[in-house]
Amino acid sequence: MASPDLLFNLRNLFYLGAYQAAINNSDVPGLDADAAAERDAIVFRSYVALGSYQLVISEIDSSAATSLQAVKLLALYLSGDKESAIASLKEWLSDSAVGSNPVLRLIAGIIFMHEQDYTEALKHTHSGGTLDLHALNVQIFIKMHRSDYAEKQLKIMQQIDEDHTLTQLANAWLDIAVGGSKIREAYLIFQDFAEKYPMTGMVLNGKAVCCMHMGSFDEAETLLLEALNKDAKDPETLANLIVCNLHLGKPSSRYLSQLKLSHPDHVLVKRAVSAEDNFERALQAVA
């Protein structure tokens, strides 16, 4: 008989964006060394997701496992020390002793995806091996507008475990990317998560994006305001509220100001700043 998966609940909390809950519920008894290392990686990745980069950098020392060193590199990268993080990452990846570590490959994929260097990201993630890597491949292919390749990755995930939270999430991401009648299917996936697990900003945003695609902007706004109550600085919530309010004919400048302050590198901020610059240049040309 298969032994119980002691990290099942912890993983689900992390995957659905309940990062503080994952940290609070990480004291799982009876873990062997491998499971304990995976637990630690989930906890530190949760701290990274919450923006506690310095905590991660200071707590993971040079004697820690490769998976934790990889998470530390992600914290370094996101804290602004990009060049140093990428240089160290490339050094680790070229080391035959640790280069094939699945968490290191996953972090490499995440960092290079942030860099928008999708070819380099796929070099480390494409061979898969874990559901996390296949799910990241789905995200990368969606960003490359290659939903056909994303679907192939999703089918591999479904063969491994169709009911897994990551498989369902990847399915929803792909449904939203494909659009049309698939949006309703994505909405139902997020609705299922909302009924089974604690409501998180990620799930609320997922439902809201589906609502906007279906033209239900009032419902989307309600969901997004609930997400904003959970985390007033979440970039995706702020970005989605800006789009939603524009469609509702409501002012969105306050949300844009918040997004500019908290996440100046967000794609929506860059587009807004670029549009403002173009407008200023046009005014000067006329003047």
Side-chain angles (χ1 to χ4, degrees), residues 251-262:
S252 59
S253 56
R254 185 179 298 169
Y255 298 130
L256 183 57
S257 297
Q258 283 178 267
L259 191 60
K260 280 180 180 177
L261 286 169
S262 59

Side-chain angles (χ1 to χ4, degrees), residues 65-85:
T66 302
S67 56
L68 299 187
Q69 297 287 351
V71 178
K72 183 175 181 176
L73 288 180
L74 179 60
L76 270 171
Y77 174 85
L78 293 173
S79 71
D81 196 357
K82 292 185 179 182
E83 285 185 21
S84 171

Side-chain angles (χ1 to χ4, degrees), residues 130-150:
T130 66
L131 281 171
D132 291 78
L133 283 163
H134 288 298
L136 185 59
N137 286 337
V138 171
Q139 287 184 301
I140 294 168
F141 283 128
I142 288 171
K143 284 185 177 292
M144 295 172 74
H145 305 291
R146 291 306 304 261
S147 55
D148 51 338
Y149 283 121

Side-chain angles (χ1 to χ4, degrees), residues 5 18 30 47 70-71 73 91 120 135 148 182 216 271-273 281:
D5 183 355
Y47 277 119
V71 178
L73 288 180
E91 193 179 318
E120 186 65 27
D148 51 338
K182 290 285 186 182
S216 304
R271 284 180 187 165
V273 169
R281 276 197 295 273

Side-chain angles (χ1 to χ4, degrees), residues 24-188:
N24 295 347
N25 292 280
S26 61
D27 189 12
V28 182
L31 298 179
D32 62 21
D34 287 345
E38 184 185 350
R39 183 268 315 275
D40 292 344
I42 292 169
V43 168
F44 282 118
R45 285 181 70 195
S46 297
Y47 277 119
V48 169
L50 291 171
S52 300
Y53 309 133
Q54 292 308 320
L55 181 146
V56 175
I57 292 164
S58 63
E59 286 207 8
I60 298 174
D61 62 30
S62 57
S63 65
T66 302
S67 56
L68 299 187
Q69 297 287 351
V71 178
K72 183 175 181 176
L73 288 180
L74 179 60
L76 270 171
Y77 174 85
L78 293 173
S79 71
D81 196 357
K82 292 185 179 182
E83 285 185 21
S84 171
I86 291 172
S88 297
L89 179 64
K90 287 181 175 177
E91 193 179 318
W92 281 68
L93 289 165
S94 64
D95 184 336
S96 58
V98 295
S100 61
N101 180 282
V103 178
L104 181 64
R105 288 165 52 216
L106 182 74
I107 299 301
I110 292 169
I111 287 176
F112 288 120
M113 187 169 75
H114 272 283
E115 289 287 298
Q116 298 184 350
D117 188 347
Y118 303 128
T119 305
E120 186 65 27
L122 287 168
K123 191 190 293 183
H124 307 291
T125 63
H126 192 252
S127 60
T130 66
L131 281 171
D132 291 78
L133 283 163
H134 288 298
L136 185 59
N137 286 337
V138 171
Q139 287 184 301
I140 294 168
F141 283 128
I142 288 171
K143 284 185 177 292
M144 295 172 74
H145 305 291
R146 291 306 304 261
S147 55
D148 51 338
Y149 283 121
E151 188 172 0
K152 288 177 183 174
Q153 290 292 319
L154 177 60
K155 282 180 177 171
I156 295 169
M157 295 177 75
Q158 288 169 334
Q159 286 165 3
I160 297 167
D161 187 347
E162 191 168 13
D163 298 323
H164 195 285
T165 299
L166 263 187
T167 307
Q168 292 297 311
L169 269 176
N171 201 340
W173 299 332
L174 184 57
D175 284 343
I176 291 170
V178 170
S181 61
K182 290 285 186 182
I183 297 294
R184 182 71 189 164
E185 292 176 30
Y187 180 87
L188 293 174

Side-chain angles (χ1 to χ4, degrees), residues 220-237:
E221 184 188 29
T222 302
L223 291 163
L224 291 168
L225 290 174
E226 187 182 340
L228 197 66
N229 283 335
K230 292 181 180 295
D231 182 356
K233 291 182 178 177
D234 180 67
E236 296 316 309
T237 303

